[in-house]
Amino acid sequence: MTKQLDTQLSNQTVQMFKILGDQTRFRILYLLETKEWPVNAIAQELKMEQSAVSHQLRKLKEAKLVKSRREGKNILYSQADAHVYDLLHLALEHAQHTQN
């Protein structure tokens, strides 16, 4: 008996990998693993323009991978789904393993 994959679930999974497949979004998620960051600090850490970081954060938020909260004048971003970090770490481990 052949195992069937639900089309909608397959599409959602592919979309998730597309989101994770962007280097900037990957680096942003990596930063957000351990603490909240304001967009200007993320931009400074990644040596990028704030507008470019904001654009990528918006995509991550739409994918429900990042959440935000207001603190005074700042908006702080943090991880929304810890499961994604399992994927990130597995991908990093795989890349490290294939380098050797």
XYZ file of all heavy atoms in Angstrom:
822
model
N 0.833 -1.180 0.000
C 0.000 0.000 0.000
C 0.883 1.251 0.000
O 1.808 1.363 0.797
C -0.892 -0.028 1.250
C -1.858 1.092 1.303
S -3.044 0.734 2.616
C -3.538 2.346 2.989
N 0.618 2.178 -0.895
C 1.394 3.397 -1.020
C 0.901 4.428 -0.022
O -0.299 4.651 0.125
C 1.262 3.978 -2.443
O 1.637 2.976 -3.379
C 2.136 5.202 -2.605
N 1.845 5.073 0.646
C 1.521 6.118 1.609
C 1.154 7.392 0.844
O 1.894 7.822 -0.039
C 2.732 6.352 2.503
C 2.483 7.265 3.654
C 3.724 7.280 4.534
C 3.547 8.233 5.681
N 4.732 8.240 6.546
N 0.011 7.993 1.155
C -0.459 9.194 0.479
C -0.170 10.424 1.336
O -0.303 10.387 2.551
C -1.967 9.104 0.216
C -2.359 8.005 -0.749
C -1.850 8.286 -2.152
O -1.908 9.398 -2.638
N -1.326 7.253 -2.793
N 0.219 11.498 0.678
C 0.483 12.751 1.353
C -0.609 13.747 0.988
O -0.880 13.969 -0.196
C 1.852 13.295 0.931
C 2.324 14.589 1.571
C 2.434 14.435 3.093
C 3.690 14.969 1.007
N -1.224 14.308 1.997
C -2.268 15.299 1.795
C -1.694 16.498 1.028
O -0.648 17.043 1.397
C -2.806 15.744 3.163
C -3.833 16.829 3.047
O -5.001 16.502 2.770
O -3.464 18.013 3.224
N -2.356 16.918 -0.040
C -1.867 17.994 -0.907
C -1.740 19.307 -0.151
O -0.737 20.016 -0.288
C -2.797 18.175 -2.125
O -2.872 16.924 -2.814
C -2.273 19.240 -3.064
N -2.733 19.646 0.646
C -2.687 20.903 1.393
C -1.523 20.901 2.390
O -0.783 21.875 2.492
C -3.998 21.153 2.123
C -4.024 22.491 2.850
C -5.340 22.755 3.541
O -6.258 21.953 3.513
N -5.439 23.899 4.181
N -1.336 19.798 3.091
C -0.234 19.687 4.038
C 1.109 19.763 3.312
O 2.044 20.427 3.766
C -0.344 18.385 4.834
C 0.729 18.132 5.881
C 0.732 19.235 6.931
C 0.502 16.772 6.528
N 1.197 19.125 2.186
C 2.413 19.167 1.374
C 2.719 20.598 0.944
O 3.865 21.057 1.032
C 2.247 18.271 0.148
O 3.347 18.401 -0.703
N 1.710 21.326 0.479
C 1.898 22.717 0.051
C 2.360 23.601 1.207
O 3.248 24.438 1.042
C 0.617 23.278 -0.565
C 0.339 22.706 -1.933
O 1.233 22.217 -2.619
N -0.918 22.736 -2.325
N 1.756 23.425 2.381
C 2.141 24.214 3.553
C 3.590 23.928 3.953
O 4.327 24.830 4.324
C 1.213 23.931 4.726
C -0.172 24.517 4.551
C -1.112 24.099 5.669
O -1.075 22.970 6.150
N -1.954 25.024 6.091
N 3.977 22.678 3.860
C 5.342 22.285 4.207
C 6.341 22.891 3.240
O 7.377 23.427 3.648
C 5.478 20.749 4.235
O 4.505 20.214 5.135
C 6.862 20.324 4.663
N 6.038 22.852 1.961
C 6.918 23.445 0.951
C 7.040 24.949 1.181
O 8.136 25.515 1.083
C 6.408 23.118 -0.473
C 7.130 23.949 -1.520
C 6.577 21.632 -0.754
N 5.935 25.606 1.498
C 5.965 27.043 1.773
C 6.862 27.347 2.977
O 7.596 28.335 2.983
C 4.552 27.594 1.996
C 3.711 27.647 0.739
C 4.380 28.432 -0.372
O 4.896 29.532 -0.177
N 4.395 27.861 -1.564
N 6.802 26.495 3.995
C 7.638 26.672 5.179
C 9.116 26.587 4.797
O 9.930 27.408 5.209
C 7.314 25.600 6.220
C 8.178 25.666 7.464
S 7.871 27.119 8.466
C 6.168 26.838 8.888
N 9.469 25.607 3.963
C 10.857 25.488 3.534
C 11.283 26.668 2.664
O 12.443 27.082 2.713
C 11.104 24.156 2.811
C 11.347 23.022 3.762
C 10.388 22.048 3.944
C 12.536 22.930 4.483
C 10.606 20.992 4.830
C 12.759 21.893 5.359
C 11.799 20.922 5.542
N 10.371 27.231 1.899
C 10.694 28.419 1.109
C 11.007 29.592 2.028
O 11.943 30.357 1.773
C 9.544 28.779 0.167
C 9.446 27.869 -1.031
C 8.312 28.289 -1.936
C 8.200 27.363 -3.139
N 7.088 27.762 -4.016
N 10.231 29.743 3.084
C 10.477 30.813 4.062
C 11.838 30.599 4.721
O 12.646 31.518 4.843
C 9.363 30.855 5.133
C 8.033 31.303 4.527
C 9.752 31.746 6.315
C 7.976 32.754 4.116
N 12.107 29.382 5.141
C 13.362 29.066 5.826
C 14.560 29.081 4.877
O 15.693 29.220 5.321
C 13.271 27.702 6.507
C 12.249 27.572 7.626
C 12.197 26.137 8.124
C 12.552 28.534 8.753
N 14.315 28.943 3.585
C 15.376 28.866 2.597
C 16.033 30.191 2.258
O 17.031 30.226 1.551
N 15.518 31.277 2.769
C 16.105 32.592 2.531
C 17.160 32.858 3.608
O 16.871 32.750 4.800
C 15.018 33.666 2.574
C 15.580 35.045 2.391
O 15.722 35.465 1.232
O 15.886 35.700 3.411
N 18.376 33.213 3.196
C 19.464 33.388 4.150
C 19.172 34.468 5.188
O 19.459 34.295 6.373
C 20.769 33.698 3.423
C 21.949 33.769 4.386
C 23.267 33.970 3.688
O 23.335 34.527 2.602
N 24.324 33.514 4.311
N 18.594 35.579 4.792
C 18.296 36.649 5.742
C 17.276 36.181 6.770
O 17.450 36.395 7.971
C 17.786 37.904 5.015
O 18.809 38.366 4.123
C 17.428 39.003 5.997
N 16.211 35.546 6.316
C 15.199 35.062 7.262
C 15.781 33.990 8.181
O 15.481 33.956 9.371
C 13.979 34.544 6.509
C 13.194 35.674 5.839
C 11.870 35.222 5.296
N 11.961 34.343 4.171
C 11.896 34.709 2.892
N 11.734 35.981 2.576
N 11.973 33.824 1.929
N 16.631 33.135 7.642
C 17.286 32.104 8.447
C 18.122 32.762 9.547
O 18.044 32.375 10.714
C 18.167 31.233 7.539
C 18.714 30.010 8.215
C 18.039 28.808 8.142
C 19.910 30.059 8.922
C 18.537 27.666 8.755
C 20.421 28.930 9.544
C 19.726 27.731 9.462
N 18.892 33.780 9.188
C 19.739 34.469 10.162
C 18.906 35.207 11.207
O 19.263 35.233 12.386
C 20.686 35.424 9.440
C 21.716 34.667 8.588
C 22.539 35.585 7.716
N 23.351 36.476 8.538
C 23.763 37.678 8.150
N 23.435 38.131 6.950
N 24.504 38.418 8.938
N 17.795 35.800 10.803
C 16.910 36.476 11.747
C 16.340 35.464 12.745
O 16.355 35.701 13.959
C 15.773 37.231 11.025
C 16.335 38.438 10.271
C 14.683 37.654 12.011
C 15.342 39.104 9.326
N 15.850 34.352 12.240
C 15.309 33.325 13.134
C 16.377 32.824 14.099
O 16.097 32.588 15.279
C 14.734 32.155 12.327
C 13.403 32.426 11.658
C 13.060 31.306 10.685
C 12.307 32.598 12.696
N 17.587 32.666 13.609
C 18.688 32.204 14.457
C 18.911 33.189 15.610
O 19.089 32.791 16.757
C 19.954 32.038 13.620
C 21.062 31.330 14.343
C 21.061 29.943 14.473
C 22.116 32.038 14.907
C 22.080 29.282 15.142
C 23.138 31.385 15.577
C 23.109 30.006 15.690
O 24.112 29.368 16.363
N 18.876 34.488 15.310
C 19.026 35.507 16.357
C 17.896 35.455 17.374
O 18.116 35.639 18.570
C 19.051 36.912 15.744
C 20.320 37.394 15.089
C 20.096 38.775 14.498
C 21.463 37.425 16.085
N 16.693 35.223 16.899
C 15.518 35.272 17.772
C 15.335 34.024 18.627
O 14.425 33.966 19.433
C 14.252 35.506 16.934
C 14.189 36.840 16.197
C 12.919 36.903 15.352
C 14.241 38.001 17.174
N 16.212 33.064 18.459
C 16.050 31.818 19.206
C 16.150 32.030 20.717
O 15.421 31.402 21.475
C 17.085 30.786 18.770
C 16.922 29.469 19.492
C 17.875 28.401 19.027
O 18.870 28.708 18.343
O 17.623 27.245 19.363
N 17.017 32.916 21.163
C 17.288 33.014 22.591
C 16.713 34.241 23.282
O 16.628 34.267 24.505
C 18.806 32.985 22.855
O 19.413 34.046 22.126
C 19.395 31.653 22.426
N 16.360 35.271 22.520
C 15.817 36.471 23.163
C 15.052 37.328 22.167
O 15.129 37.113 20.961
C 16.925 37.297 23.816
C 17.891 37.940 22.830
C 18.913 38.801 23.550
C 19.764 39.565 22.549
N 20.648 40.513 23.204
N 14.340 38.304 22.698
C 13.625 39.272 21.869
C 14.618 40.320 21.350
O 15.575 40.658 22.022
C 12.574 40.005 22.700
C 11.441 39.156 23.187
C 10.473 39.968 24.018
O 10.920 40.688 24.938
O 9.270 39.876 23.752
N 14.339 40.790 20.137
C 15.177 41.820 19.536
C 14.292 42.892 18.908
O 13.322 42.566 18.233
C 16.017 41.233 18.412
C 17.137 40.332 18.811
C 17.035 39.075 19.319
C 18.527 40.600 18.687
N 18.270 38.547 19.512
C 19.210 39.462 19.132
C 19.261 41.691 18.233
C 20.593 39.385 19.142
C 20.637 41.604 18.233
C 21.296 40.470 18.697
N 14.678 44.172 19.034
C 14.019 45.219 18.247
C 14.596 45.208 16.832
O 15.736 44.777 16.620
C 14.375 46.511 18.990
C 15.640 46.195 19.723
C 15.608 44.722 20.021
N 13.838 45.685 15.890
C 14.255 45.623 14.491
C 15.574 46.344 14.252
O 16.415 45.868 13.489
C 13.133 46.120 13.544
C 12.863 47.594 13.720
C 13.460 45.807 12.106
N 15.792 47.477 14.908
C 17.044 48.217 14.676
C 18.256 47.423 15.158
O 19.317 47.463 14.533
C 16.997 49.610 15.311
C 16.842 49.574 16.819
O 16.240 48.663 17.388
N 17.372 50.590 17.479
N 18.120 46.663 16.240
C 19.231 45.843 16.732
C 19.488 44.661 15.798
O 20.648 44.282 15.576
C 18.949 45.358 18.149
N 18.420 44.084 15.254
C 18.582 42.999 14.280
C 19.326 43.518 13.057
O 20.268 42.893 12.574
C 17.219 42.390 13.879
C 16.545 41.722 15.072
C 17.384 41.393 12.730
C 15.099 41.313 14.821
N 18.903 44.680 12.570
C 19.536 45.280 11.395
C 21.014 45.550 11.653
O 21.865 45.255 10.803
C 18.815 46.566 11.010
N 21.322 46.071 12.820
C 22.719 46.360 13.165
C 23.526 45.063 13.253
O 24.634 44.984 12.724
C 22.773 47.106 14.492
C 24.146 47.566 14.882
C 24.138 48.397 16.160
O 23.104 48.614 16.782
N 25.303 48.861 16.553
N 22.968 44.055 13.904
C 23.668 42.777 14.067
C 23.951 42.112 12.715
O 25.011 41.526 12.508
C 22.832 41.846 14.944
C 23.471 40.530 15.254
C 24.619 40.599 16.242
O 24.726 41.604 16.987
O 25.421 39.659 16.271
N 22.978 42.201 11.797
C 23.126 41.564 10.486
C 23.775 42.482 9.451
O 23.958 42.079 8.300
C 21.761 41.096 9.978
C 21.051 40.041 10.828
C 19.723 39.655 10.194
C 21.916 38.820 11.046
N 24.086 43.719 9.867
C 24.684 44.717 8.969
C 23.816 44.919 7.726
O 24.281 44.828 6.592
C 26.115 44.321 8.602
C 27.060 44.300 9.789
C 28.419 43.775 9.424
C 29.392 43.757 10.569
N 28.971 43.171 11.810
N 22.532 45.184 7.997
C 21.548 45.379 6.933
C 20.760 46.654 7.197
O 20.744 47.159 8.325
C 20.574 44.189 6.892
C 21.196 42.882 6.488
S 19.964 41.556 6.484
C 18.838 42.143 5.221
N 20.086 47.133 6.173
C 19.185 48.267 6.326
C 17.967 47.834 7.133
O 17.474 46.712 6.973
C 18.729 48.789 4.958
C 19.839 49.385 4.121
C 20.372 50.675 4.709
O 19.584 51.458 5.285
O 21.598 50.895 4.596
N 17.484 48.725 7.974
C 16.327 48.417 8.808
C 15.096 48.081 7.972
O 14.328 47.193 8.322
C 16.037 49.592 9.751
C 14.958 49.290 10.764
C 14.863 50.364 11.829
O 15.852 50.983 12.184
N 13.670 50.577 12.332
N 14.921 48.763 6.853
C 13.753 48.501 6.005
C 13.785 47.080 5.436
O 12.750 46.425 5.332
C 13.657 49.528 4.883
O 14.814 49.465 4.057
N 14.974 46.596 5.085
C 15.102 45.236 4.557
C 14.787 44.210 5.639
O 14.116 43.200 5.380
C 16.511 45.012 4.009
N 15.252 44.459 6.854
C 14.967 43.555 7.968
C 13.472 43.567 8.275
O 12.861 42.513 8.481
C 15.799 43.933 9.214
C 15.351 43.151 10.439
C 17.282 43.700 8.940
N 12.873 44.744 8.281
C 11.430 44.856 8.537
C 10.629 44.055 7.516
O 9.646 43.395 7.862
C 10.982 46.319 8.501
O 11.532 47.019 9.576
N 11.043 44.120 6.267
C 10.368 43.371 5.199
C 10.423 41.866 5.481
O 9.416 41.157 5.354
C 11.019 43.703 3.853
C 10.486 42.923 2.708
N 9.240 43.159 2.165
C 11.016 41.890 2.013
C 9.028 42.302 1.173
N 10.091 41.522 1.070
N 11.594 41.377 5.870
C 11.737 39.949 6.151
C 10.983 39.552 7.427
O 10.400 38.464 7.492
C 13.221 39.571 6.258
C 13.995 39.796 4.988
C 13.417 39.059 3.788
O 12.758 38.035 3.908
N 13.666 39.587 2.599
N 10.985 40.420 8.421
C 10.220 40.138 9.642
C 8.728 40.040 9.342
O 8.029 39.210 9.909
C 10.481 41.218 10.691
C 11.806 41.124 11.423
C 12.094 42.417 12.180
C 11.818 39.925 12.371
N 8.258 40.868 8.433
C 6.844 40.822 8.043
C 6.517 39.459 7.425
O 5.499 38.843 7.751
C 6.530 41.962 7.077
C 5.075 42.099 6.733
C 4.722 43.379 5.972
N 5.723 43.857 5.022
C 6.571 44.885 5.250
N 6.537 45.532 6.398
N 7.433 45.260 4.324
N 7.406 38.967 6.569
C 7.187 37.646 5.962
C 7.204 36.545 7.020
O 6.389 35.620 6.975
C 8.242 37.364 4.889
C 8.054 38.183 3.647
C 9.028 37.759 2.583
C 8.712 38.517 1.308
N 8.914 37.725 0.135
N 8.129 36.636 7.957
C 8.209 35.638 9.029
C 6.974 35.697 9.921
O 6.474 34.663 10.376
C 9.471 35.856 9.859
C 10.786 35.502 9.166
C 11.971 36.058 9.935
C 10.899 33.992 8.984
N 6.475 36.891 10.152
C 5.271 37.058 10.978
C 4.046 36.491 10.253
O 3.210 35.821 10.860
C 5.076 38.534 11.316
C 4.153 38.762 12.472
C 4.186 40.207 12.917
C 3.193 40.404 14.039
N 3.146 41.783 14.492
N 3.945 36.735 8.949
C 2.845 36.185 8.161
C 2.855 34.661 8.172
O 1.804 34.029 8.143
C 2.919 36.695 6.714
C 2.563 38.144 6.557
C 2.884 38.695 5.174
O 3.394 37.935 4.307
O 2.634 39.894 4.956
N 4.053 34.082 8.238
C 4.197 32.626 8.276
C 4.043 32.081 9.699
O 4.187 30.878 9.918
C 5.561 32.229 7.712
N 3.768 32.979 10.639
C 3.565 32.616 12.043
C 4.821 32.010 12.680
O 4.743 31.166 13.574
C 2.363 31.698 12.209
C 1.053 32.351 11.797
C -0.119 31.417 11.994
C -1.457 31.980 11.694
N -1.676 32.890 10.664
N 5.987 32.461 12.227
C 7.260 32.002 12.790
C 7.823 33.009 13.784
O 8.686 32.680 14.589
C 8.278 31.750 11.682
C 7.887 30.687 10.665
C 8.957 30.568 9.596
C 7.668 29.353 11.350
N 7.328 34.244 13.701
C 7.792 35.334 14.553
C 6.564 36.045 15.104
O 5.545 36.153 14.431
C 8.666 36.311 13.715
C 8.874 37.625 14.417
C 10.000 35.674 13.382
N 6.685 36.506 16.335
C 5.627 37.328 16.921
C 6.256 38.621 17.414
O 7.485 38.716 17.534
C 4.920 36.582 18.045
C 5.804 36.191 19.193
C 5.049 35.358 20.208
C 6.003 34.913 21.319
N 5.342 34.063 22.287
N 5.432 39.603 17.683
C 5.946 40.892 18.129
C 5.087 41.422 19.265
O 3.932 41.030 19.437
C 5.956 41.892 16.975
O 4.645 42.136 16.518
N 5.706 42.311 20.029
C 4.980 43.019 21.087
C 5.592 44.398 21.228
O 6.777 44.603 20.959
C 5.018 42.255 22.400
C 6.363 42.209 23.083
C 6.298 41.489 24.433
N 7.602 41.521 25.070
C 8.044 42.500 25.860
N 7.275 43.550 26.110
N 9.240 42.454 26.395
N 4.763 45.331 21.623
C 5.214 46.714 21.783
C 5.692 46.919 23.216
O 5.069 46.484 24.171
C 4.083 47.683 21.462
C 4.493 49.139 21.562
C 3.429 50.065 21.061
N 3.235 49.960 19.621
C 3.996 50.552 18.713
N 5.021 51.271 19.085
N 3.740 50.423 17.439
N 6.844 47.590 23.323
C 7.372 48.013 24.623
C 7.801 49.459 24.482
O 8.861 49.745 23.913
C 8.551 47.128 25.034
C 9.041 47.411 26.447
C 10.120 46.450 26.883
O 9.774 45.318 27.284
O 11.309 46.829 26.792
N 6.946 50.356 24.935
C 7.199 51.784 24.736
C 7.144 52.107 23.262
O 6.163 51.801 22.579
N 8.219 52.695 22.750
C 8.282 53.047 21.328
C 8.825 51.905 20.477
O 8.793 51.979 19.258
C 9.158 54.284 21.134
C 8.556 55.538 21.715
C 9.429 56.731 21.440
C 8.798 57.986 22.026
N 9.596 59.184 21.761
N 9.344 50.874 21.116
C 9.952 49.758 20.386
C 8.974 48.621 20.163
O 8.094 48.374 20.992
C 11.161 49.199 21.147
C 12.341 50.129 21.131
O 12.638 50.742 20.113
N 13.016 50.238 22.256
N 9.172 47.937 19.068
C 8.480 46.677 18.821
C 9.539 45.594 18.921
O 10.557 45.650 18.225
C 7.793 46.658 17.441
C 6.714 47.732 17.389
C 7.195 45.275 17.170
C 6.017 47.854 16.063
N 9.301 44.654 19.818
C 10.245 43.566 20.035
C 9.748 42.319 19.332
O 8.571 41.970 19.416
C 10.404 43.290 21.532
C 10.928 44.454 22.363
C 10.904 44.099 23.845
C 12.328 44.836 21.920
N 10.664 41.641 18.656
C 10.339 40.427 17.914
C 10.928 39.222 18.636
O 12.011 39.298 19.216
C 10.883 40.512 16.484
C 10.166 41.542 15.667
C 10.592 42.858 15.653
C 9.041 41.198 14.933
C 9.913 43.813 14.918
C 8.358 42.146 14.192
C 8.804 43.455 14.192
O 8.126 44.396 13.465
N 10.194 38.125 18.588
C 10.655 36.887 19.208
C 10.122 35.701 18.424
O 9.266 35.849 17.548
C 10.191 36.807 20.663
O 8.779 36.799 20.729
N 10.620 34.521 18.769
C 10.173 33.304 18.108
C 8.703 33.049 18.437
O 8.244 33.338 19.532
C 11.022 32.116 18.517
C 10.896 31.761 19.994
C 11.587 30.465 20.320
O 11.548 29.531 19.546
N 12.216 30.424 21.472
N 7.991 32.518 17.493
C 6.585 32.179 17.701
C 6.378 30.678 17.765
O 5.360 30.220 18.267
C 5.731 32.776 16.575
N 7.334 29.920 17.262
C 7.165 28.466 17.186
C 8.516 27.791 17.410
O 9.374 27.799 16.542
C 6.604 28.091 15.812
C 6.292 26.620 15.675
O 6.589 25.840 16.602
O 5.746 26.238 14.633
N 8.682 27.205 18.584
C 9.955 26.569 18.933
C 10.277 25.369 18.043
O 11.445 25.020 17.869
C 9.948 26.147 20.396
N 9.273 24.759 17.431
C 9.517 23.610 16.558
C 10.415 23.971 15.376
O 11.163 23.137 14.871
C 8.200 23.035 16.021
C 7.370 22.405 17.079
N 6.336 23.071 17.689
C 7.426 21.185 17.645
C 5.787 22.276 18.585
N 6.431 21.124 18.581
N 10.325 25.205 14.940
C 11.126 25.641 13.797
C 12.612 25.542 14.120
O 13.427 25.254 13.247
C 10.744 27.074 13.392
C 11.664 27.627 12.319
C 9.306 27.095 12.913
N 12.956 25.742 15.385
C 14.366 25.680 15.762
C 14.922 24.272 15.679
O 16.113 24.084 15.456
C 14.585 26.343 17.127
C 14.350 27.824 16.975
C 13.107 28.380 17.215
C 15.356 28.643 16.468
C 12.874 29.721 16.997
C 15.128 29.982 16.247
C 13.892 30.524 16.514
O 13.663 31.839 16.272
N 14.071 23.278 15.819
C 14.499 21.900 15.577
C 14.940 21.762 14.118
O 15.983 21.177 13.823
C 13.373 20.907 15.878
C 13.016 20.845 17.352
O 13.865 21.210 18.200
O 11.883 20.430 17.653
N 14.152 22.334 13.203
C 14.506 22.299 11.783
C 15.798 23.058 11.506
O 16.664 22.582 10.762
C 13.384 22.892 10.926
C 12.114 22.096 10.778
C 11.056 22.915 10.049
C 12.387 20.805 10.030
N 15.934 24.242 12.112
C 17.135 25.040 11.898
C 18.382 24.289 12.367
O 19.393 24.250 11.667
C 17.043 26.381 12.630
C 16.005 27.377 12.155
C 16.083 28.651 12.989
C 16.160 27.695 10.694
N 18.290 23.696 13.545
C 19.447 22.979 14.086
C 19.771 21.732 13.274
O 20.948 21.433 13.037
C 19.231 22.641 15.560
C 19.322 23.845 16.443
N 20.510 24.455 16.753
C 18.356 24.574 17.051
C 20.285 25.506 17.522
N 18.983 25.600 17.716
N 18.748 21.032 12.829
C 18.989 19.868 11.976
C 19.658 20.277 10.667
O 20.576 19.608 10.196
C 17.686 19.117 11.698
C 17.136 18.286 12.852
C 15.733 17.784 12.522
C 18.060 17.122 13.161
N 19.202 21.373 10.087
C 19.790 21.859 8.841
C 21.251 22.264 9.057
O 22.123 21.957 8.239
C 18.986 23.031 8.293
N 21.528 22.950 10.171
C 22.905 23.346 10.471
C 23.793 22.128 10.708
O 24.926 22.077 10.221
C 22.935 24.268 11.698
C 22.406 25.683 11.475
C 22.202 26.389 12.810
C 23.346 26.469 10.582
N 23.278 21.152 11.432
C 24.033 19.918 11.672
C 24.311 19.188 10.361
O 25.419 18.696 10.140
C 23.272 18.993 12.622
C 23.285 19.441 14.057
C 22.426 18.553 14.949
O 22.231 17.362 14.633
O 21.940 19.072 15.963
N 23.315 19.139 9.501
C 23.496 18.481 8.205
C 24.566 19.203 7.382
O 25.442 18.570 6.793
C 22.176 18.419 7.445
C 22.306 17.763 6.111
N 22.470 16.403 5.961
C 22.337 18.293 4.872
C 22.587 16.123 4.690
N 22.499 17.244 3.995
N 24.499 20.523 7.345
C 25.478 21.308 6.585
C 26.879 21.100 7.157
O 27.842 20.954 6.396
C 25.104 22.787 6.600
N 26.972 21.073 8.460
C 28.270 20.863 9.109
C 28.812 19.475 8.798
O 29.981 19.298 8.501
C 28.119 21.049 10.622
C 29.375 21.351 11.347
C 29.095 21.743 12.782
O 28.132 21.274 13.397
N 29.919 22.616 13.324
N 27.937 18.485 8.811
C 28.327 17.106 8.534
C 28.814 16.945 7.092
O 29.762 16.212 6.833
C 27.144 16.165 8.804
C 27.413 14.740 8.481
N 28.246 13.956 9.242
C 26.976 13.956 7.462
C 28.310 12.757 8.704
N 27.539 12.724 7.626
N 28.174 17.640 6.162
C 28.551 17.489 4.756
C 29.824 18.259 4.418
O 30.395 18.048 3.354
C 27.409 17.935 3.819
O 27.071 19.295 4.092
C 26.198 17.035 3.979
N 30.267 19.166 5.304
C 31.516 19.890 5.082
C 32.729 19.007 5.308
O 33.779 19.235 4.745
C 31.625 21.091 6.021
C 30.813 22.269 5.607
C 31.027 23.446 6.555
O 31.509 23.294 7.669
N 30.656 24.621 6.099
N 32.582 18.014 6.165
C 33.729 17.145 6.537
C 34.003 16.097 5.502
O 33.384 15.623 4.739
C 33.478 16.499 7.896
C 33.330 17.554 8.972
O 33.915 18.615 8.881
N 32.525 17.266 9.975
